[in-house]
Amino acid sequence: MSFVIRALVLYGHDGRQRVLRFREHGLNIITGRSKTGKSAIIDIVDYCLGRGSYNVAEGFIRERVSWFALHLVRDGDEAFVARDNPGPAANSGSKVYLRRGALDGYPERDDLEKNTTGTSLKEFMTKFAGIEENEHRPSSGTRDPLRANISHALLLCFQKQGTIANQDYLFHRMNEEFLPQALRDTLPYYLGVVGEDHFRLLSERDRLRERLRALETVQGARLRAVDQSRSRVARMVSDGKRLGLIVQDYQPVDDGVFALFEEILERDAGAPDVVPDFGETIRALQGEQTTLQRKLEELNRDVHATQAFLADQSAFSREAAEQRARLSSLGLYNDDDGGGPTCPVCDSTLPAPLPKISEMRRSLARVDEQLEAVGRDSPHLVEHIERQRVEIDKTTDTLRIVQSNLRRAMIEDETARLAQNQMIEQARYMGRLANFLETLGSAGSAEDRTDAIEDAKARLAALRDRISADDIASRLETCLDFISDKMTAYSERLDLEYAGSRLRLDLRKLTVVANTPSGPIALQRMGSGENWVGYHVLTLLALHWWLRERSRPVPGFLIFDQPTQTYYPADVVDGSIEGFRQDDDRIAVQRLFELMHHACGEIAPAFQLIVLDHAHLADDWFGEAIIEEWRGENALVPLDWQAPP
């Protein structure tokens, strides 16, 4: 069972509610004068059930209503869905309120707020209608697969005023692009020709097809690899030997080489050893070496400078000693002698007077002091030179150790780098090997692959027998035969053209066809609005009879808008039976409503027929079927509702 409508709820801008309640089973008639909002009901219901566009006519309803809502029921389950009125000139709304479960009362206007999206609403309504996993797959391959959803199901639930009397279109919205083909593709599912098991079998078939293609690809690729890719196989073996992954004496002689390749890929490559950061160590040792070398240079310069100074002192001592030796002879003379123009030795007259003995003695004293000072400093300088040489030896030893450590670190660094490069090369090789094997397919022996291929073919053949296009076509033909019988039976209750002919539903052209002795006659070739309306009504009733008999996932309601429009004069006011232009029209309208009343009693209980019309017949059953009559001040939207300022 699918869902039906318990109530249509409108909200005014001031928060007031207008509740239009329906009987959940049987005939529901809303009758009344024109321009009271009857025709808007289909657009409102369609919008609330997930249609993307908002098609309510411009005017009073768009101005005075703030939200539209439906109360839906299905097998004890309930759903309340509301959508905002986007207002004049708008094409779609943005707010959707959805609530599932039993309702004690309808939410207040201020409680309505967006809690889902239009896309989610459509998905929910699809599931709420009972539409399960399905997919139509065109045999020609020129169209994408199509999944049936609530939008396709609703094409069978509405007959607007412009459709029900149309000779070219039998179903709702058939003048829109792509929808006729979508209905052709999904009708077999809705009619029950293919069920959910069919789609599960299709999925299993697709999976087996993919597996079979993969196995056959592997089989062919493996054989071609030995015959056509020997050079590539040889290169892979040679590279494996170079990297130590394959023993040197191995020779590829058959497709067993692939097993070796796969075994190599399964080996544990191992994690690289933890290698110290020799780069940092080397840089530190190089810095220490430079520091020690500079220190040695400074120590050597100091020693050289001290030695030069000591040499200069030695030269000075020799000169001073010679001068002292010359002056020491002054002891032979008197202290005050000298200073005159006469030579003290030979008494000859001198050109310049000689210095006094006292002055020369003072010079000798100064030389003695200088020689004594040089004698005191020399031992200190020698000691300083010795200390510096000891420091030079220590620094030199330290430098040798640092340089040794530096050489060892550089050797270890290079060794680690070579090991890492080797590991990288092996990883690259394994990557190329994996890619090579991937192009050939998954592992497994030739015998295993052959067995798997044969098994997949056998299972696929069994599935093809269960998913036979001929069988589906046969079931569809049988289904349409039952519907045709019901259409023909219903036509006998109406005085239509081609009465007595066998009627059938042509799914390819989506129309009604009458099989007459002179040949098939489609709806487009039938004359008069009475025929067009009659065939629309009986065809949709026959379809819903079948849908309810088979408990198919199509909403359990059907809405007819103005089915008697071809019988009433344009200026009809009250819709009474006396308002017809002639008796034949009155009789035709009577028969049309009697057919609806009869069908509602015949179709399973979970069926709701809603008729929006001018007519008001005098029959008791007709009066009992009326749920509201909109004449005088009565209408879909109360006349005192105000538009927002």
Side-chain angles (χ1 to χ4, degrees):
M1 175 182 175
S2 191
F3 65 82
V4 295
I5 304 171
R6 177 169 290 178
L8 169 66
V9 185
L10 308 182
Y11 290 85
H13 292 285
D14 58 0
R16 284 188 287 174
Q17 297 180 8
R18 162 72 162 104
V19 180
L20 176 59
R21 302 185 186 277
F22 297 95
R23 298 185 185 92
E24 297 174 18
H25 310 294
L27 183 59
N28 291 258
I29 298 176
I30 299 176
T31 184
R33 59 182 175 82
S34 300
K35 300 180 180 180
T36 53
K38 295 189 299 296
S39 295
I41 289 178
I42 289 180
D43 289 321
I44 293 171
V45 172
D46 202 6
Y47 178 59
C48 288
L49 293 180
R51 185 168 180 179
S53 60
Y54 173 65
N55 299 300
V56 174
E58 295 288 342
F60 192 85
I61 297 176
R62 278 185 177 249
E63 295 171 357
R64 310 302 173 93
V65 177
S66 62
W67 283 73
F68 304 101
L70 289 179
H71 183 188
L72 309 172
V73 293
R74 176 196 175 195
D75 292 334
D77 195 4
E78 299 182 28
F80 182 84
V81 55
R83 299 190 70 177
D84 68 316
N85 176 9
N91 294 321
S92 63
S94 61
K95 299 177 182 179
V96 181
Y97 174 84
L98 178 62
R99 176 178 169 183
R100 189 169 186 176
L103 297 174
D104 295 330
Y106 297 126
E108 297 296 327
R109 163 66 182 80
D110 293 339
D111 295 331
L112 300 180
E113 58 183 14
K114 180 176 180 178
N115 62 3
T116 188
T117 64
T119 301
S120 297
L121 171 63
K122 190 172 183 178
E123 293 175 356
F124 170 79
M125 294 312 310
T126 297
K127 294 178 181 178
F128 194 67
I131 300 173
E132 298 184 5
E133 182 67 24
N134 69 89
E135 186 175 74
H136 171 76
R137 304 183 184 189
S139 58
S140 64
T142 58
R143 304 192 311 276
D144 293 333
L146 176 69
R147 293 181 183 273
N149 58 51
I150 187 63
S151 296
H152 304 125
L154 290 175
L155 299 177
L156 306 175
C157 297
F158 299 129
Q159 286 282 292
K160 297 186 73 172
Q161 183 176 356
T163 301
I164 199 169
N166 193 305
Q167 68 185 109
D168 297 317
Y169 303 119
L170 179 62
F171 296 104
H172 181 54
R173 298 176 63 187
M174 289 297 100
N175 59 330
E176 299 180 28
E177 191 176 11
F178 305 122
L179 283 185
Q181 187 59 55
L183 185 57
R184 293 187 193 98
D185 292 343
T186 56
L187 259 176
Y189 166 71
Y190 288 127
L191 294 176
V193 174
V194 291
E196 289 73 20
D197 289 341
H198 173 77
F199 300 108
R200 284 192 285 271
L201 292 175
L202 287 178
S203 297
E204 177 67 12
R205 183 195 65 183
D206 290 346
R207 188 185 66 79
L208 279 174
R209 281 177 174 174
E210 292 178 2
R211 174 166 173 75
L212 180 59
R213 282 195 295 267
L215 289 170
E216 291 175 338
T217 300
V218 170
Q219 185 87 325
R222 293 271 173 154
L223 295 175
R224 289 193 302 272
V226 177
D227 295 334
Q228 303 176 7
S229 303
R230 292 187 180 277
S231 60
R232 189 175 179 189
V233 170
R235 280 199 308 274
M236 297 302 296
V237 171
S238 177
D239 290 344
K241 290 179 179 180
R242 178 176 56 82
L243 295 170
L245 296 172
I246 298 176
V247 296
Q248 295 299 318
D249 59 351
Y250 177 81
Q251 294 297 328
V253 294
D254 54 25
D255 65 351
V257 68
F258 297 112
L260 174 62
F261 286 160
E262 288 157 358
E263 185 271 330
I264 290 173
L265 289 179
E266 292 175 357
R267 293 177 188 172
D268 185 5
D273 294 335
V274 178
V275 179
D277 188 356
F278 289 111
E280 291 294 332
T281 302
I282 289 172
R283 284 191 290 273
L285 289 172
Q286 287 174 336
E288 188 175 354
Q289 174 184 252
T290 300
T291 300
L292 292 171
Q293 288 172 339
R294 289 175 181 171
K295 182 177 180 180
L296 280 175
E297 290 176 1
E298 293 175 358
L299 289 171
N300 284 316
R301 282 197 300 269
D302 187 19
V303 168
H304 292 157
T306 304
Q307 288 176 337
F309 181 72
L310 186 59
D312 290 342
Q313 280 191 331
S314 298
F316 174 77
S317 296
R318 286 193 298 271
E319 292 293 334
E322 291 178 2
Q323 185 178 2
R324 182 175 182 278
R326 288 195 300 269
L327 294 176
S328 61
S329 59
L330 293 176
L332 300 176
Y333 302 96
N334 293 325
D335 290 339
D336 294 329
D337 195 17
T342 303
C343 175
V345 177
C346 61
D347 292 330
S348 62
T349 303
L350 299 175
L354 293 173
K356 293 181 178 182
I357 295 300
S358 58
E359 292 176 353
M360 288 187 287
R361 286 177 176 169
R362 283 195 296 272
S363 296
L364 178 61
R366 285 196 299 273
V367 171
D368 288 337
E369 290 177 359
Q370 291 174 350
L371 286 174
E372 185 180 357
V374 170
R376 287 195 306 269
D377 291 338
S378 295
H380 294 294
L381 293 176
V382 173
E383 184 181 354
H384 175 71
I385 291 172
E386 290 301 321
R387 285 198 304 270
Q388 293 297 82
R389 284 176 175 169
V390 171
E391 186 66 24
I392 288 172
D393 292 340
K394 290 172 59 179
T395 303
T396 301
D397 291 340
T398 303
L399 179 60
R400 289 194 188 98
I401 295 173
V402 169
Q403 289 175 335
S404 176
N405 291 338
L406 178 59
R407 284 192 299 272
R408 184 168 57 254
M410 294 179 71
I411 292 172
E412 291 176 348
D413 183 62
E414 183 64 20
T415 301
R417 185 176 291 109
L418 290 174
Q420 289 177 336
N421 289 341
Q422 175 82 351
M423 191 168 298
I424 291 171
E425 285 299 318
Q426 289 181 350
R428 289 175 177 170
Y429 172 79
M430 288 186 174
R432 288 188 290 113
L433 184 60
N435 181 65
F436 175 58
L437 293 181
E438 185 177 352
T439 62
L440 303 179
S442 59
S445 68
E447 293 79 9
D448 291 341
R449 291 193 297 274
T450 301
D451 292 343
I453 288 173
E454 294 304 319
D455 178 66
K457 286 181 177 179
R459 293 173 63 188
L460 190 57
L463 276 177
R464 284 171 178 162
D465 290 339
R466 297 179 65 185
I467 311 172
S468 170
D470 293 338
D471 186 41
I472 293 174
S474 177
R475 291 202 300 271
L476 179 59
E477 183 178 355
T478 301
C479 166
L480 293 178
D481 282 344
F482 280 104
I483 295 174
S484 295
D485 290 342
K486 185 59 64 176
M487 291 169 60
T488 302
Y490 284 164
S491 69
E492 294 173 356
R493 293 178 169 271
L494 302 175
D495 185 17
L496 301 176
E497 196 173 0
Y498 309 108
S501 302
R502 179 171 174 79
L503 301 178
R504 60 183 172 87
L505 178 61
D506 185 341
L507 287 190
R508 187 171 64 86
K509 295 183 179 179
L510 295 177
T511 191
V512 177
V513 176
N515 290 332
T516 69
S518 58
I521 299 176
L523 182 63
Q524 292 88 339
R525 294 169 51 200
M526 299 178 186
S528 85
E530 179 181 351
N531 285 318
W532 303 334
V533 170
Y535 285 119
H536 276 77
V537 169
L538 66 86
T539 300
L540 269 296
L541 289 174
L543 270 173
H544 277 264
W545 165 79
W546 177 260
L547 294 172
R548 300 282 65 82
E549 284 289 320
R550 309 296 295 177
S551 298
R552 298 306 299 155
V554 175
F557 65 83
L558 173 62
I559 305 179
F560 289 144
D561 183 21
Q562 307 298 332
T564 66
Q565 59 185 286
T566 60
Y567 303 102
Y568 278 99
D571 57 350
V572 64
V573 177
D574 60 4
S576 64
I577 203 72
E578 290 79 13
F580 294 107
R581 289 170 290 193
Q582 51 191 7
D583 289 342
D584 289 346
D585 291 342
R586 177 182 58 79
I587 295 172
V589 169
Q590 185 78 27
R591 286 175 175 171
L592 189 63
F593 274 101
E594 286 177 351
L595 171 61
M596 298 179 198
H597 177 63
H598 168 76
C600 286
E602 184 181 50
I603 299 175
F607 175 66
Q608 180 183 54
L609 177 61
I610 301 172
V611 182
L612 315 170
D613 205 271
H614 297 299
H616 190 158
L617 306 185
D619 300 83
D620 292 339
W621 59 264
F622 190 95
E624 293 172 357
I626 295 175
I627 57 172
E628 286 200 12
E629 186 166 2
W630 297 344
R631 306 185 193 280
E633 298 296 319
N634 296 328
L636 176 63
V637 180
L639 299 181
D640 61 346
W641 280 18
Q642 300 297 315

